[in-house]
Amino acid sequence: MARAQLDTLDYKILQMLSVNGRKPFLEIARECNVSGAAIHQRIQKLMSMGVLKGSECLIDPASVGYETCAYMGFFLKDPSRFDEVVEKLKAIPEVVEIHFTTGQYDMFIKLYAHNNDHLLHIIHEQLQGLGLARTESLISFKEVLKRQIPVSEPGD
């Protein structure tokens, strides 16, 4: 995707939303010294350009029973079947991220399980039939930082 053509107001809006995605449009408008309608139009433009990908409520996985976070690197038997494997992974609700990567793995995923037994069940019952040559797993004990990328105008 080519870099979007953004101006100073766009960057200011993005900076505010990256800190608080629920910040009211009128509050953003006041801080930017423009009308609420102008902010609404700018945010719609940023969404239509694909710069803003929507908004979401983040659920703490542990609070709803998902105590185990795992990252898995996959070595595919046949890397040309990447798209087929991706479609099968999308059908597993516990898989929350899928990445096509450089380096030693053909792909890398992130998933949540209720516990280690549940993770083992997912691996044996759902992942082994995907055409994997082998996998490597990492379990995260605790997420200590998660944040948005820094947003600043070019040259800042």
Side-chain angles (χ1 to χ4, degrees):
M1 177 178 178
R3 186 175 177 152
Q5 296 296 315
L6 306 175
D7 64 17
T8 301
L9 179 58
D10 294 325
Y11 280 105
K12 193 167 185 178
I13 293 167
L14 291 172
Q15 287 167 345
M16 284 186 251
L17 290 175
S18 71
V19 172
N20 178 3
R22 295 179 53 131
K23 189 168 194 160
F25 287 6
L26 288 177
E27 197 173 318
I28 295 170
R30 276 193 293 277
E31 291 183 36
C32 293
N33 294 318
V34 297
S35 71
I39 295 301
H40 186 268
Q41 289 174 343
R42 286 295 182 113
I43 289 175
Q44 291 301 318
K45 177 190 86 166
L46 291 167
M47 290 180 83
S48 68
M49 292 170 62
V51 175
L52 281 176
K53 302 255 185 202
S55 60
E56 58 187 10
C57 290
L58 300 176
I59 299 168
D60 174 35
S63 70
V64 293
Y66 289 89
E67 299 285 338
T68 300
C69 173
Y71 296 87
M72 298 183 74
F74 290 171
F75 298 87
L76 302 178
K77 287 180 186 172
D78 180 3
S80 69
R81 297 182 60 207
F82 177 82
D83 292 336
E84 180 184 327
V85 173
V86 167
E87 289 308 310
K88 290 178 180 177
L89 286 169
K90 286 179 181 179
I92 302 170
E94 294 87 354
V95 174
V96 296
E97 293 181 19
I98 305 169
H99 300 270
F100 189 41
T101 62
T102 63
Q104 65 179 352
Y105 306 117
D106 294 314
M107 64 176 29
F108 200 75
I109 70 166
K110 178 180 180 181
L111 64 89
Y112 286 97
H114 296 296
N115 52 41
N116 289 346
D117 287 336
H118 184 214
L119 176 60
L120 189 59
H121 172 79
I122 292 168
I123 292 169
H124 286 163
E125 302 299 322
Q126 296 178 285
L127 299 179
Q128 281 187 344
L130 296 179
L132 307 177
R134 69 184 180 96
T135 65
E136 289 185 8
S137 302
L138 301 166
I139 294 179
S140 170
F141 290 124
K142 182 178 181 180
E143 181 180 279
V144 294
L145 176 67
K146 182 175 184 165
R147 63 179 166 201
Q148 291 285 338
I149 58 166
V151 177
S152 61
E153 281 193 73
D156 281 356

